[in-house]
Amino acid sequence: MSAQAGPGRVLLRVDTGACCRSGACSLVAPDLFDQGDDGKVLLKTPHPPADLIEAAEEAADYCPVSAIQLEILPE
Amino acid sequence: MAEQLPAYPMTDRTCPYDPPAGLLDLQRQAPLVKVQLPTGPAWLVTSYDAARTLLDDPRMSSDMGREGFPTLYRQKMRPVLKGSFMRMDGEEHAFYRTMLAGEFSVKRVAAMRPEIEQACDQLLDEMIRQGPPANLHESYGIPVSSSSICRFLGVPYEDAEFFTTHLEALFDPHRAGAPERIANSKAALSAYLDELVTRKQKEPGDDMISRLVADYLVPGKVDRPELLLTSYLLLAAGHETTANMITTGTAALLMHPEQFALVRDEPKLLRGAVEELLRYLSIFQFGITRIATEDIRVGDQTVAAGEGIIVSPLLGNRDESVYDDPHTLDVRRRGRPHLSFGHGPHLCVGHTLARIELQIAFERLLTRLPDLRLAVTESEIPFRTATLVFGTIDLPVTWGERTEGASA
Ligand code: HEM
Ligand code: HEM
Ligand code: SF4
């Protein structure tokens, strides 16, 4: 999927140290997350387009170790 | 100290799908309440939020070798064997999860889609050929689950009957003559897997055991008994659970025909429907056991170091403050993630495989047999309410003329 050009209003961050390689994020939001060969999370874009913000929130909630954070950036 | 603690586990369900009334009463004492297990007192976590917080708390240990670890049956404490990672903590546990993470990655599991679909279609072809009625568990739930886990691990499916029989002996503690039978079955499974590993060393295939042999056993990162135990645990934990979900999930849909029709007619609902069935059924019904290694404050209570804790996915999944109308099956629900696979670092390692398998199994079943019905009345379906895994393994179904050909 193509990431939106320019900065988005939401900043998505993953803590790869905390990530326990569950694959939950890639399963619920494959447009935003992938996994390396070792199972660790790979973020496809830190700026989810508007139509994927809900998916980003869902992935953060599914993460079993709270390794995914969403930050709302000021306009 | 004369207080009478409520006895746990509770098994007396009125509606087969709803938690026992006594358990729902305990939920009013959220977030946690002390209960009496066969082996002593322990804390039962009854709320969703506390369940999630505690399952991701490093002061909660899975090590059942620790003095005072809560057990649901009267069973002898055994030291945790090397390789039995579901009972380990921290770095030691993470080693095994890292070893398995690539195997269970979404990519690897998704690549199995065509094979799982084909297996489902072949089983449905056979059901249609033989004609109704059928026991859905034997004709579909079990073989879908065993063929998938076999393919995944690299265990020949021809041997499914052999290991299914032995796994049943291991996992049915209530069956008569158990101790000798358990010992025999353990020995048989262990010898079988040992020989399989030898074969994979000589002729590796495109499967988990072959890769673990090459990447971990040969370089000496794990020893042979460890690899055998890991393989055995995956086979055991992945077999009955998914089979049970397929059969019991179908039962739930057939007993809620409007929900069945929704999933059948709107394929887009499938993913959410599988999540809702996992939430609604909460088949790992008695809960996830842990022991506190330090004092842990939960709400206005304190779990003291050394006390046992049981996290109940069944109650967390029915928490009214999280799910509207929690006792209703609603395949269109888009709620918070359920607790049926647990939470935290021990989150079910097989959840990706189980989820994809369930999506495919229901999609194929409802497409091929769109007018599937119960072949008995609802009250005639036997539900197992006293086993670790809740559900039915006996589901007589029937269908009419309307069958669809395989999609391939
Ligand atoms: C619908 C089917 C399934 C359900 C409901 C289920 C449920 C669970 C739950 C609740 C846990 C957490 C236990 C804990 O935290 O102590 C767990 C862990 C585990 N499951 Fe599953 N499971 C399912 C399918 C599978 C499959 C298909 C496999 C293997 C292929 C599997 C293998 C495991 C293993 C090895 C663990 C231990 C993980 C660890 O401690 O790190 N499960 N499962
Ligand atoms: C998510 C599914 C399950 C997980 C993660 C799980 C985990 C485990 C683990 C780690 C052990 C110790 C193994 C050992 O020390 O050799 C064990 C033993 C046992 N489990 Fe489970 N189990 C699951 C499902 C079941 C089911 C379906 C049943 C029965 C209905 C069951 C009943 C037992 C019994 C009776 C034992 C003791 C057997 C023995 O002495 O080896 N478990 N389980
Ligand atoms: S859900 Fe969390 S733990 Fe799982 S892969 Fe994604 S970031 Fe890692």
Side-chain angles (χ1 to χ4, degrees):
Chain A
M1 291 290 129
S2 64
Q4 210 182 35
R9 289 192 306 110
V10 168
L11 180 64
L12 195 51
R13 264 201 287 244
V14 293
D15 178 349
T16 43
C19 168
C20 70
R21 310 163 198 253
S22 74
C25 54
S26 321
L27 198 67
V28 300
D31 296 337
L32 293 172
F33 303 93
D34 198 351
Q35 288 172 279
D37 290 338
D38 58 357
K40 279 269 184 191
V41 60
L42 296 172
L43 189 56
K44 291 187 174 180
T45 168
H47 300 297
D51 60 335
L52 288 181
I53 287 175
E54 214 182 293
E57 283 168 347
E58 199 182 3
D61 206 13
Y62 265 79
C63 178
V65 291
S66 306
I68 300 172
Q69 308 295 337
L70 267 87
E71 199 183 313
I72 312 289
L73 298 177
E75 283 291 329
Chain B
M1 268 310 285
E3 59 176 330
Q4 265 277 5
L5 296 176
Y8 191 87
M10 295 182 191
T11 58
D12 52 334
R13 296 183 183 222
T14 320
C15 164
Y17 296 118
D18 288 339
L23 196 55
L24 289 173
D25 283 343
L26 294 185
Q27 197 172 36
R28 299 206 184 91
Q29 303 176 46
L32 79 174
V33 56
K34 222 173 210 171
V35 294
Q36 183 69 36
L37 304 182
T39 48
W43 292 97
L44 179 72
V45 179
T46 64
S47 86
Y48 179 90
D49 286 335
R52 281 178 53 121
T53 308
L54 286 169
L55 286 175
D56 190 21
D57 186 322
R59 297 170 295 179
M60 297 273 285
S61 169
S62 291
D63 179 357
M64 69 188 276
R66 281 176 191 262
E67 185 64 39
F69 197 89
T71 50
L72 299 169
Y73 297 105
R74 280 187 187 284
Q75 66 189 44
K76 265 212 306 277
M77 295 303 293
R78 284 162 304 167
V80 173
L81 296 172
K82 214 169 145 197
S84 191
F85 59 94
M86 62 250 295
R87 289 295 162 218
M88 295 175 180
D89 300 324
E91 290 297 313
E92 207 187 2
H93 169 252
F95 169 82
Y96 295 95
R97 291 297 299 247
T98 302
M99 172 172 96
L100 296 174
E103 295 299 327
F104 284 99
S105 72
V106 173
K107 251 178 298 196
R108 185 95 82 195
V109 170
M112 282 181 62
R113 241 177 208 285
E115 281 174 273
I116 300 175
E117 273 167 2
Q118 199 188 19
C120 290
D121 272 326
Q122 279 171 3
L123 292 163
L124 290 163
D125 286 342
E126 183 57 22
M127 274 172 69
I128 292 166
R129 198 185 61 74
Q130 293 200 357
N135 176 352
L136 192 88
H137 195 61
E138 278 162 20
S139 306
Y140 196 64
I142 293 248
V144 169
S145 170
S146 29
S147 60
S148 307
I149 190 76
C150 279
R151 173 68 195 84
F152 184 82
L153 296 178
V155 172
Y157 183 51
E158 305 85 82
D159 300 336
E161 205 179 305
F162 164 82
F163 66 75
T164 308
T165 312
H166 288 300
L167 285 176
E168 274 169 14
L170 284 187
F171 288 105
D172 186 356
H174 305 294
R175 210 168 276 175
E180 198 177 314
R181 205 159 149 234
I182 286 180
N184 284 342
S185 290
K186 273 193 168 170
L189 281 170
S190 171
Y192 173 79
L193 288 170
D194 195 40
E195 198 209 305
L196 184 68
V197 164
T198 305
R199 238 183 304 155
K200 300 284 178 194
Q201 260 169 312
K202 292 194 198 118
E203 304 162 39
D206 174 21
D207 56 62
M208 186 200 90
I209 294 180
S210 294
R211 279 186 290 269
L212 293 187
V213 165
D215 300 344
Y216 279 82
L217 182 65
V218 173
K221 294 185 199 165
V222 296
D223 62 27
R224 206 175 172 92
E226 228 175 326
L227 179 61
L228 296 182
L229 187 55
T230 303
S231 310
Y232 154 72
L233 287 177
L234 292 172
L235 196 58
H239 188 264
E240 174 172 336
T241 41
T242 316
N244 193 303
M245 257 315 289
I246 294 172
T247 307
T248 312
T250 305
L253 290 175
L254 292 176
M255 286 164 75
H256 298 84
E258 75 297 341
Q259 300 288 311
F260 181 95
L262 278 170
V263 187
R264 178 192 60 202
D265 300 337
E266 278 182 67
K268 273 210 320 237
L269 292 179
L270 200 73
R271 199 199 102 189
V274 166
E275 296 307 303
E276 173 66 353
L277 286 168
L278 285 161
R279 180 196 74 86
Y280 183 67
L281 296 173
S282 303
I283 60 167
F284 202 60
Q285 62 170 340
F286 298 145
I288 298 169
T289 46
R290 298 283 190 269
I291 190 166
T293 59
E294 295 173 31
D295 290 359
I296 304 174
R297 195 88 191 132
V298 184
D300 50 15
Q301 312 253 39
T302 300
V303 176
E307 287 188 312
I309 302 166
I310 302 185
V311 178
S312 170
L314 177 58
L315 287 179
N317 284 339
R318 301 287 184 114
D319 186 332
E320 283 171 356
S321 66
V322 176
Y323 301 101
D324 294 335
D325 214 354
H327 305 303
T328 300
L329 175 70
D330 175 5
V331 296
R332 280 180 294 196
R333 191 189 290 277
R334 288 197 50 120
R336 305 275 314 271
H338 59 72
L339 301 173
S340 294
F341 289 121
H343 190 71
H346 285 272
L347 181 86
C348 177
V349 74
H351 80 95
T352 49
L353 180 61
R355 281 174 154 134
I356 284 176
E357 234 180 284
L358 291 172
Q359 288 168 16
I360 298 171
F362 290 122
E363 190 276 328
R364 288 285 80 206
L365 179 68
L366 273 55
T367 303
R368 298 288 306 279
L369 297 174
D371 69 349
L372 191 73
R373 304 185 291 279
L374 294 176
V376 292
T377 61
E378 294 186 2
S379 57
E380 286 173 308
I381 301 172
F383 283 93
R384 304 203 295 181
T385 58
T387 44
L388 275 185
V389 175
F390 159 78
T392 182
I393 55 168
D394 185 2
L395 187 67
V397 292
T398 185
W399 57 91
E401 294 295 303
R402 206 178 138 205
T403 57
E404 310 284 328
S407 63

